[in-house]
């Protein structure tokens, strides 16, 4: 089958690879769509998670069940079901799993990759059936949506809270809609790419701050009548965007550092400033048990508008180039030509 692999540092390649054998408790899906995640690009560019050369990239997957392994019926899934795949694994038996922290399962430190291929074998526990009204293309964004929902769960946004979001990439635009759905007010985005401002407004931003041409702090206090934001969420992952988030948070505010920052990035913070406003700093990892809720929440979010461009699997090299331009919020690979998709 065809697959997009991490060929060498900085390079992806379309290769023909053998299909994985199917084992006990496993289910094979025909991949419909796989979205490119920033972490895929980090793997290719800087070897994130020590990913080995030759692995098939991709973990934001939707598809159709085509083969059931022995004893895979416990999931209730059957051939023909439309599903999404989760890249997270948890054993349910280790100390972390038993203490309610399955995202830190001791048995698995790696994610399930391999989504940018014609077929993919999953453990039955990692597949979730999606409703008929959800398009398979849109459903490929459910994995990033679960991360956004984890941020919402931890950010504790109250209705009417003034909320600012830094960064309007693909995940930022999902976050923006989730913030709106929470009933936030004075929703503001900080985004240096002018081409993204209009879409941000369309998807819920009341105010847009361009950090290239305006003082972020000045505008932020103007918008919040001098109070600062109740919640600030940094989703750009750019070190340069990180410090100001603390400055523009108000008294008793929360700053959520959502993105995956460079591993050597350190940011000085003035603890007196934090003390004087009783500020809370929150980071976000992930949580495997959000998937069922994300499947239901997906229809409340305009996922189609977040998908900027689509390429067939054969053009995966072009797709990664398009991702690198940062012009498109989300780049999606169409992995099957099946008319039913
Ligand atoms: Zn992802
Ligand atoms: Zn475990």
């Amino acid at each position: 089958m065809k697959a997009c692999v991490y060929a060498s540092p900085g390079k992806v390649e379309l290769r023909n690879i053998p299909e994985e054998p199917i084992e006990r408790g496993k289910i094979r899906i025909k991949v419909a769509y796989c979205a490119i995640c920033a972490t895929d690009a980090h793997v290719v560019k800087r070897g994130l998670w020590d990913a080995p050369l030759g692995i098939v990239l991709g973990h934001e997957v939707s598809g159709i069940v085509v083969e059931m392994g022995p004893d895979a019926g416990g999931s209730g899934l059957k051939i023909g079901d439309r599903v999404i795949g989760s890249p997270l694994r948890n054993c349910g038996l280790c100390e972390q799993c038993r203490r309610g922290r399955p995202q830190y399962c001791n048995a698995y430190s790696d994610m399930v990759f391999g989504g940018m291929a014609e077929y993919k074998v999953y453990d039955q526990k990692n597949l979730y059936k999606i409703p008929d009204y959800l398009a398979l293309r849109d459903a490929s964004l459910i994995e990033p949506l679960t991360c956004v929902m984890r941020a919402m769960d931890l950010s504790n946004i109250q209705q009417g809270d003034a909320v600012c979001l830094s960064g309007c990439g693909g995940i930022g635009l999902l976050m923006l809609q989730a913030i709106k759905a929470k009933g936030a007010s004075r929703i503001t985005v900080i985004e240096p790419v002018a081409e993204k401002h209009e879409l941000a407004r369309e998807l819920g931003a009341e105010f847009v701050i361009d950090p290239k041409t305006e003082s972020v702090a000045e505008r932020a206090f103007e918008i919040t009548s001098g109070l600062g934001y109740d919640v600030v969420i940094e989703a750009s992952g750019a070190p340069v965007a990180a410090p100001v988030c603390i400055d523009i948070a108000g008294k008793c505010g929360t700053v959520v550092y959502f993105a995956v920052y460079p591993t050597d990035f350190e940011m000085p913070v003035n603890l007196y400033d934090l003390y004087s406003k009783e500020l809370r700093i929150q980071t976000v990892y992930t949580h495997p048990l959000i998937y069922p809720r994300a499947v239901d929440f997906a229809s409340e979010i305009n996922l189609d508008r977040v998908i900027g461009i689509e390429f067939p699997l054969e053009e995966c090299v072009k797709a990664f180039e398009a991702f690198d331009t940062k012009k498109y919020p989300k780049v999606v690979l169409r992995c099957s030509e099946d008319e039913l998709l």
Side-chain angles (χ1 to χ4, degrees):
M1 64 171 180
K2 282 175 280 191
C4 170
V5 303
Y6 168 34
S8 59
K11 269 184 99 172
V12 300
E13 209 173 274
L14 185 75
R15 283 192 194 158
N16 258 308
I17 61 162
E19 272 183 45
E20 223 180 306
I22 193 155
E23 294 160 6
R24 189 167 293 276
K26 307 261 177 158
I27 292 176
R28 190 187 313 278
I29 70 164
K30 184 171 195 178
V31 179
Y33 293 91
C34 182
I36 300 180
C37 178
T39 55
D40 292 311
H42 290 324
V43 163
V44 176
K45 281 195 196 137
R46 51 184 175 88
L48 182 73
W49 301 320
D50 297 321
L53 293 179
I55 61 155
V56 178
L57 294 158
H59 59 266
E60 301 182 356
V61 174
S62 67
I64 292 177
V65 173
V66 290
E67 190 184 350
M68 307 282 294
D71 298 331
S75 58
L77 291 169
K78 56 183 190 316
I79 289 172
D81 278 346
R82 301 156 79 249
V83 292
I84 54 143
S86 158
L88 305 171
R89 295 181 287 176
N90 56 289
C91 69
L93 297 170
C94 74
E95 198 62 21
Q96 295 293 0
C97 281
R98 284 173 188 259
R99 286 175 187 261
R101 299 188 288 257
Q103 70 273 41
Y104 294 107
C105 173
N106 288 331
Y108 302 105
S109 57
D110 55 336
M111 295 212 309
V112 176
F113 279 91
M116 294 178 184
E118 289 178 274
Y119 296 93
K120 165 97 192 103
V121 172
Y122 279 97
D123 191 290
Q124 59 176 335
K125 282 193 291 192
N126 283 46
L127 290 173
Y128 298 85
K129 190 174 172 171
I130 59 166
D132 295 341
Y133 55 76
L134 203 59
L136 280 162
R137 193 173 108 119
D138 291 355
S140 66
L141 299 197
I142 287 178
E143 189 274 339
L145 187 60
T146 64
C147 302
V148 163
M149 290 171 73
R150 179 68 176 161
M152 289 298 104
D153 290 350
L154 295 172
S155 67
N156 197 25
I157 294 172
Q158 309 285 301
Q159 284 169 335
D161 273 355
V163 177
C164 182
L165 168 71
S166 162
C168 283
I171 203 117
L173 292 173
L174 297 176
M175 188 85 75
L176 176 58
Q177 297 182 68
I179 291 167
K180 176 111 181 145
K182 275 271 185 186
S185 73
R186 306 188 202 212
I187 299 175
T188 307
V189 300
I190 305 171
E191 173 53 60
V193 180
E195 289 80 8
K196 292 183 178 168
H197 291 177
E198 207 182 305
L199 186 54
R201 283 206 170 84
E202 182 191 320
L203 296 178
E206 207 178 323
F207 305 95
V208 176
I209 303 176
D210 184 339
K212 281 213 234 138
T213 59
E214 309 173 272
S215 155
V216 172
E218 228 169 79
R219 281 276 284 137
F221 285 100
E222 202 178 281
I223 291 163
T224 57
S225 313
L227 291 172
Y229 292 97
D230 297 298
V231 178
V232 181
I233 301 176
E234 208 304 296
S236 76
V240 66
V244 78
C245 296
I246 289 181
D247 303 335
I248 64 176
K251 304 278 192 235
C252 303
T254 297
V255 176
V256 180
Y257 285 105
F258 171 82
V260 181
Y261 298 91
T263 48
D264 58 353
F265 169 54
E266 289 177 10
M267 182 181 82
V269 290
N270 183 310
L271 290 175
Y272 182 83
D273 286 349
L274 299 199
Y275 150 79
S276 66
K277 55 183 177 187
E278 216 172 50
L279 191 83
R280 190 163 68 99
I281 292 181
Q282 175 74 55
T283 63
V284 180
Y285 191 52
T286 182
H287 202 290
L289 303 185
I290 292 178
Y291 278 79
R293 277 199 291 141
V295 168
D296 289 339
F297 186 52
S299 60
E300 305 297 319
I301 300 284
N302 190 339
L303 298 166
D304 184 59
R305 284 298 273 138
V306 178
I307 297 171
I309 192 164
E310 173 186 320
F311 291 89
L313 177 61
E314 290 75 13
E315 292 178 20
C316 58
V317 174
K318 265 196 202 164
F320 272 83
E321 283 166 8
F323 181 89
D324 275 345
T325 66
K326 296 190 171 18
K327 272 203 286 192
Y328 310 100
K330 208 67 184 159
V331 178
V332 163
L333 284 171
R334 190 175 64 250
C335 297
S336 170
E337 291 306 322
D338 203 319
E339 278 167 46
L340 292 170
L341 307 177

